[in-house]
Amino acid sequence: MPVERSEPRSAEELHKYYELYETIGSGGFAKVKLGRHILTGEKVAVKIMNKKDLGDDLPRVKVEMEAMKNLSHQHICRLYQVIESPTQIFMILEYCPGGELFDYIIAKDRLSEEETRVFFRQIVSAMAYVHSQGYAHRDLKPENLLIDGDHNLKLIDFGLCAKPKGGLGYELMTCCGSPAYAAPELIQGKAYIGSEADVWSMGVLLFALLCGYLPFDDDNCMVLYRKITKGKYDNPNWLSPGSVLLLNQMMQVDPKRRVTVRQLLDHPWVTKDYNSPVEWYSQQPLGHIDEDCVTEMAVNMKRSRESTTALIREWHYDHLTATYLLLLSKKQRGKPVRLRREPLASEDAVSPLHGRSQTKKTLHFTDDDDAVVLGCVDLCSDYMDDCPWVSVTPKGAGEKTQRTIDDKRLASPLVDNRCVQTTTPEKGHAPAQHRQERKRRDRDPTCENKENVALQETDVEIFALPPPRTPASGKKHPRPGRSVLTTPNPSLSNGTRGTALTPKVGGSGSKELVKKKAAESKESTNLEILAFSPERRSRSLDMPASDSGKKKRAGRVFGSLERGLDKVITMLTPGKRRALRDGPRKIKAQYNVTLTGQTNPDQVLNQILSVLPSKHVDFSQKGYTVKCRTWDDYGKVTMAFELEVCLLHRPEVVGVRRQRLKGDAWVYKHLVEDILSTSSI
Ligand code: ADP
């Protein structure tokens, strides 16, 4: 059978080669779903982006794809395939089932020096490789490090990386990255060396690993930036002298006095207990082609090994590249280097490397959103107004927030846990800050990642304007304290922990704050506005993502009132009714599960449900899973996460599984801590 090597023409390409499952994450630009590569049976992560929603951020995605095509390293998430249609982009990526390093840190409160060293060596390894390839990452933070199946770190999110034409020694100008992790020279708008700025971020990251909170933190970005430019932070007393020294060497305000990645490779703290420098070279160099994989593919394609090798060497990042890299990954994990030969039972026809026929009934796209879904189950989780997992929302735009299901029903999840409930915020007008940002982008629609553009003309102290405070953003300064998100971490001494964190969370005053900030932005005409997504304080500092798609989605949710609760209930499929009767899922204790010490799941569910409205969290409930969202004053979702009440085997108690889907990681941490502690869980 001849090999088709045409450019992917449409998103249908995705259906041919991959099965898609639930959403496993979402960022400022993308939704990420779990997928399975049919031919190898390997799990993958599918990053889905809608070009219309990307708007001016499209160049950022292109930068990320190009960088990931050039980088192949054991601690960098591998790109397998890119599928691009006129409206959508799909990146097929190595799947990292362990979640974000951020969640791992908060689950453990903080890590011991020994465990930190294991991770930090991997971060140094990845960064030494990235720099050796001429790139600066510029957005290092624990949310951008994922944990794979072997508990190893994989670096993601190269959308803000830079590869200066003259080499990494050349200065960069664009201020980007996440404010809390940004180097002083970067936020001051000075020209900076990318690798030096990365070392500062690595220092902040190292601090977060060892301490469980950020060295520089404040709700107000101006205050935050002043702290960063001063470079003053407190070392908690559990840090060893060696850790204090290393952090100090990395977080030097003067970049020329900062330790380099090269020096980190054999730094005494880094090599302690290892007695060997960090191995940073790639164990998977791009040039090497594996013979076993070639043979298997050649047999499948009925081609010679030579011509198969030649095709692989083209590195088109199409299905052929994906098949080769996934086979290689199987081999490296000691699995047989075999491709599926027989058609899948549910398929009408399969043409192995060319994909399967397009008649699969359950797979379909919607034309107005970016999600690819598998039947109703996925529809339910993605389109809340399209299926029994439905929002019941107030009528009319601008109407006050209100609840549409009475408290009695909520109080009894067993009777009524089919019910769904959300509240919606009042919608506002586009703030001055957004308009000003829009103007800036109009002047230079391609300023993203283009050096020497964003800050050239400014000669004043340059700070980003603070983002609007989200209703959920609470008091931070997570000073050492026992977190309710924490699972026992016996390696840490108890004496250093204080009381539970109960940050102030609430929407009061947030509007005033936004108004004040909008006014400030008008006044500050000579301040260059370095915009970042309003919902994230420690998320990437950059142009805000186009919100057109978000508005549309919000509109769909808001528009579903007419359906009414009764209709919702009658819409329940038999499968869903069964799911409710079956009770909570039984799962093993994992680090993203909070143990409650209680044995009645309904009680725990009720406790959570009763607390959410007071925390200004909108939610929809399906069985024992509660999907939560917070909104800003402009109708934009600032945070999305799930809380699932489940039963654990050992110990036999009720647990609450947490999963952040969108939003600032640290704000999420404080909000969920607050919800769970207020729920007396
Ligand atoms: P964006 O570019 O929009 O910020 P990210 O690439 O950061 O999106 O992905 C969003 C989230 O999706 C991540 O924070 C992570 O939780 C999840 N995710 C991304 N890539 C993977 C992956 N390869 N494996 C597992 N989860 C992933």
Side-chain angles (χ1 to χ4, degrees), residues 24-30 32 45 47 77 94 96 100 146 157 539:
I24 50 176
S26 72
F29 308 95
V32 180
K47 185 165 169 174
C77 184
E94 178 178 0
C96 302
E100 296 174 13
L146 303 182
D157 215 340
R539 298 284 288 185

Side-chain angles (χ1 to χ4, degrees), residues 319-385:
H319 184 238
L320 195 121
T321 306
T323 306
Y324 170 74
L325 290 173
L326 285 161
L327 263 184
L328 188 60
S329 159
K330 280 182 96 164
K331 181 178 175 180
Q332 284 166 344
R333 284 179 292 123
K335 287 182 159 185
V337 184
R338 289 281 172 270
L339 294 175
R340 186 191 289 273
R341 293 224 157 71
E342 71 285 3
L344 293 173
S346 61
E347 289 169 321
D348 301 295
V350 172
S351 140
L353 262 171
H354 314 153
R356 60 179 161 179
S357 71
Q358 292 302 296
T359 54
K360 198 162 187 295
K361 293 172 285 297
T362 49
L363 278 177
H364 52 273
F365 284 80
T366 60
D367 50 9
D368 63 346
D369 210 315
D370 55 1
V372 184
V373 292
L374 256 179
C376 186
V377 173
D378 266 332
L379 263 176
C380 293
S381 57
D382 287 314
Y383 305 109
M384 296 169 69
D385 56 340

Side-chain angles (χ1 to χ4, degrees), residues 71 126-138 140 158 160-173 185 191-199 202 255-256 260-262 280 449 451:
L71 299 171
M127 289 314 299
Y129 172 78
V130 167
H131 291 168
S132 77
Q133 300 301 301
Y135 288 95
H137 186 277
R138 304 200 295 184
L140 273 174
F158 285 81
L160 293 175
C161 76
K163 189 176 189 183
K165 285 210 174 68
L168 206 49
Y170 276 70
E171 290 175 330
L172 301 166
M173 285 300 293
E185 67 273 20
Y192 66 95
I193 303 291
S195 52
E196 293 171 352
D198 277 345
V199 171
M202 288 164 76
K256 298 300 165 208
T260 64
V261 171
R262 203 154 278 279
W280 63 271
N449 239 336
E451 299 306 328

Side-chain angles (χ1 to χ4, degrees), residues 5-127:
R5 192 88 211 229
S6 56
E7 290 295 309
R9 285 172 309 275
S10 79
E12 288 171 3
E13 191 87 0
L14 189 71
H15 298 292
K16 287 196 213 169
Y17 305 121
Y18 300 92
E19 289 174 348
L20 293 177
Y21 301 98
E22 74 268 18
T23 300
I24 50 176
S26 72
F29 308 95
K31 175 177 285 186
V32 180
K33 284 180 173 274
L34 174 64
R36 191 168 72 93
H37 180 244
I38 293 164
L39 205 47
T40 58
E42 291 288 280
K43 285 180 183 166
V44 292
V46 183
K47 185 165 169 174
I48 303 164
M49 286 156 286
N50 188 319
K51 283 185 180 171
K52 208 165 74 190
D53 291 348
L54 284 171
D56 294 343
D57 293 311
L58 187 59
R60 174 179 165 157
V61 176
K62 300 275 179 189
V63 164
E64 173 163 43
M65 291 192 302
E66 281 317 303
M68 292 190 85
K69 285 177 185 176
N70 293 326
L71 299 171
S72 173
H73 187 269
Q74 53 279 17
H75 295 301
I76 296 176
C77 184
R78 196 71 175 92
L79 174 68
Y80 296 135
Q81 183 172 359
V82 175
I83 299 173
E84 193 170 346
S85 79
T87 55
Q88 287 169 306
I89 297 174
F90 305 99
M91 288 170 71
I92 315 298
L93 298 159
E94 178 178 0
Y95 172 54
C96 302
E100 296 174 13
L101 178 60
F102 175 85
D103 293 311
Y104 188 78
I105 300 171
I106 62 165
K108 290 198 142 195
D109 201 4
R110 58 188 161 84
L111 308 189
S112 67
E113 186 172 317
E114 288 67 35
E115 192 173 13
T116 298
R117 185 169 291 108
V118 175
F119 281 143
F120 191 68
R121 284 176 66 95
Q122 297 183 1
I123 296 165
V124 172
S125 171
M127 289 314 299

